[in-house]
Amino acid sequence: MCSVKAALSPGVSALSQTPCHRPAPRASGTAPIRASIYFVSFMNNQKQQKPTLSGQRFKTRKRDEKERFDPTQLQDCIIQGLTETGTDLEAVAKFLDASGAKLDYRRYTETLFDILGAGGMLAPGGTLADDMMRTDVCVFTAQEDLETMLAFARVFNKLIRRYKYPEKGFEDEVRKLLLFLKGVLESERNKLAMLTGVLLANGTLHASILNSLYNENLVSAAFAVKLFKSWINEKDINAVAASLRKVGVNNRLMELFRANKQSVERFAGLKELSEYVRNQRTIGARKERQKELQEQMSRGDPFKDIILYVKEEMEQNNIPEPVVIGIVRSSEKTEQATKHLKQYSPLLAAFTAQGQSERTLLLRMQEYCYDNIHFMKAFQKTVVLFYKAEVLREEPILKRYKDAHVARGESVFLEQMKKFAEWLKHAEEESGSEAEEGD
């Protein structure tokens, strides 16, 4: 056996050394399972542990920390700077401009304007806090003249234009000061009135600020007069009237005074404003009478009673006849323009005794026909109807045709009136010649 193995061993060894005939190793069934276990264990170790409530402390981010509201630091810096600048308002404006980069004007807007307006932080009720610092470089301690208030207005305007965000805070500050008028001295009220008028004129304040004045027994006549005087000094009455109209107080100026002192004479020192207030009251009264006339006509009241009522109003309120004819014409219903004008002729005839009243009636008729396109062709027929009803006479009709034209529908109405005007002219000439022959 040994010889046989020895004889075969060289061949066997030769075959075993040949790569092509090497037997493949058997795959183990446990290797894939072991690899997956290692992978799962590795991934579990990579997961972060969930936080628990026990012993966990979280550090607050710096941006989430709320700063304590403490305006005293800004107050000290502003008052110290104003003390150094003195009463030179140009230097004050430069100081406030430069300090805005270091001080938080946005957060402490009220404190800033308290100091510039009253000299220190205001306590509830509008009084200066006793335990706070004060400065004499403010509106209330300045000289009581318009030039000084104009200079302060420039300071506020520059500050608000440089840092836009104090604008709302500044309006709130002025409203607060207006509500505390009773708690300040008369000289301080006068300065505030002049400053408010200047700020309204240059657009720093909106006219809606005036709504703060409509409080019982709040505003004195002197305060209102000084406010409007400084406003009109910078802007004309038309600009002031437009601002008042935008905020709806153009008809409420008399309400600024007490009920027993509501008179146009309160603005006696301001001629333009007095005339404006008087006109507004006239317009308001005219609307009330027009409403009353419309109600009487809709009820079908006799013309006799309506004429008596209108004439009493004319006498009591000193209303001229041309104004009354405009009110009466405007009170007629729309559907009555062509169908029932003859019915209303006696009412119109009662208030057209003057030539100016007749011309006013013609103007109102032309405006109505122009505004209502369905009646554009009815103008001439209406004039003829009123002529036959003796509401209109020849002279006013011809004068209106020749001279007093209105741009609105001029060519259309002149063309309509051409034949009738020529007929009136010939009729007038014939009547004149007959009168001469009779003499």
Side-chain angles (χ1 to χ4, degrees), residues 59-106:
K59 184 178 180 181
T60 305
R61 292 184 179 182
K62 188 174 181 180
R63 66 181 182 185
D64 296 332
E65 295 178 359
K66 292 186 177 180
E67 182 182 356
R68 187 168 64 91
F69 185 81
D70 184 17
T72 55
Q73 182 180 359
L74 179 136
Q75 176 190 243
D76 296 343
C77 294
I78 294 295
I79 291 180
Q80 182 180 355
L82 294 178
T83 304
E84 295 174 357
T85 59
T87 57
D88 184 2
L89 295 182
E90 289 292 335
V92 170
K94 292 180 181 179
F95 162 72
L96 294 173
D97 188 3
S99 299
K102 300 177 291 183
L103 302 176
D104 194 352
Y105 285 173
R106 184 191 296 270

Side-chain angles (χ1 to χ4, degrees), residues 319-371:
I319 307 174
E321 190 179 79
V323 175
V324 172
I325 193 63
I327 296 174
V328 174
R329 179 66 188 88
S330 301
S331 302
E332 296 176 9
K333 294 181 180 179
T334 302
E335 63 269 21
Q336 295 168 346
T338 55
K339 295 182 180 180
H340 304 288
L341 280 177
K342 189 173 182 179
Q343 176 186 351
Y344 283 88
S345 297
L347 179 61
L348 294 170
F351 304 103
T352 53
Q354 302 175 8
Q356 181 63 34
S357 304
E358 295 176 84
R359 289 191 291 272
T360 302
L361 178 59
L362 284 167
L363 174 63
R364 294 289 182 270
M365 291 165 51
Q366 181 173 336
E367 290 176 347
Y368 179 84
C369 292
Y370 182 81
D371 293 335

Side-chain angles (χ1 to χ4, degrees), residues 64-329:
D64 296 332
E65 295 178 359
K66 292 186 177 180
E67 182 182 356
R68 187 168 64 91
F69 185 81
D70 184 17
T72 55
Q73 182 180 359
L74 179 136
Q75 176 190 243
D76 296 343
C77 294
I78 294 295
I79 291 180
Q80 182 180 355
L82 294 178
T83 304
E84 295 174 357
T85 59
T87 57
D88 184 2
L89 295 182
E90 289 292 335
V92 170
K94 292 180 181 179
F95 162 72
L96 294 173
D97 188 3
S99 299
K102 300 177 291 183
L103 302 176
D104 194 352
Y105 285 173
R106 184 191 296 270
R107 186 176 177 83
Y108 303 111
T109 303
E110 183 179 3
T111 303
L112 173 64
F113 290 123
D114 275 354
I115 297 170
L116 296 176
M121 292 176 58
L122 294 176
T127 58
L128 283 172
D130 296 331
D131 56 342
M132 295 295 180
M133 297 177 62
R134 301 185 185 185
T135 178
D136 292 333
V137 185
C138 64
V139 174
F140 281 178
T141 58
Q143 294 181 3
E144 188 180 339
D145 58 72
L146 185 59
E147 191 64 30
T148 304
M149 294 303 105
L150 285 169
F152 266 102
R154 287 192 290 269
V155 172
F156 289 120
N157 193 25
K158 289 179 181 179
L159 180 61
I160 292 173
R161 290 176 62 185
R162 175 66 176 84
Y163 302 98
K164 188 66 176 176
Y165 45 82
E167 183 175 4
K168 180 65 169 60
F170 180 63
E171 288 190 2
D172 294 339
E173 179 70 17
V174 175
R175 284 191 176 91
K176 181 175 70 173
L177 292 176
L178 291 176
L179 292 176
F180 295 152
L181 283 178
K182 283 189 174 182
V184 300
L185 301 175
E186 183 180 358
S187 62
E188 296 172 348
R189 286 198 297 268
N190 294 338
K191 296 168 193 174
L192 182 59
M194 289 188 288
L195 177 64
T196 304
V198 172
L199 294 172
L200 286 168
N202 63 24
T204 305
L205 287 178
H206 191 262
S208 59
I209 201 81
L210 297 175
N211 290 317
S212 303
L213 301 177
Y214 288 94
N215 193 2
E216 186 178 2
N217 303 332
L218 177 63
V219 181
S220 64
F223 182 90
V225 169
K226 285 187 177 295
L227 187 152
F228 282 103
K229 186 175 182 179
S230 59
W231 191 356
I232 296 174
N233 186 66
E234 299 297 313
K235 293 286 185 178
D236 60 6
I237 187 63
N238 295 326
V240 174
S243 299
L244 295 175
R245 190 164 49 252
K246 285 180 181 179
V247 296
V249 297
N250 53 316
N251 295 322
R252 300 181 58 200
L253 293 182
M254 287 295 99
E255 297 178 24
L256 292 172
F257 311 122
R258 298 179 181 180
N260 59 345
K261 295 184 178 181
Q262 292 182 359
S263 172
V264 180
E265 303 303 324
R266 293 290 173 183
F267 294 111
L270 299 172
K271 182 179 179 181
E272 293 178 336
L273 186 62
S274 299
E275 293 177 356
Y276 172 75
V277 174
R278 190 176 289 106
N279 291 336
Q280 290 299 308
R281 298 188 75 178
T282 301
I283 292 171
R286 188 183 304 172
K287 289 181 179 179
E288 292 179 2
R289 294 182 186 94
Q290 182 174 334
K291 183 179 179 182
E292 178 64 24
L293 273 175
Q294 288 174 343
E295 292 177 356
Q296 290 180 358
M297 291 179 181
S298 62
R299 291 195 304 262
D301 292 358
F303 287 155
K304 181 180 178 181
D305 297 341
I306 297 176
I307 292 172
L308 181 62
Y309 162 76
V310 174
K311 288 188 174 181
E312 288 178 355
E313 290 291 326
M314 289 174 61
E315 184 176 354
Q316 292 176 2
N317 299 283
N318 194 23
I319 307 174
E321 190 179 79
V323 175
V324 172
I325 193 63
I327 296 174
V328 174
R329 179 66 188 88

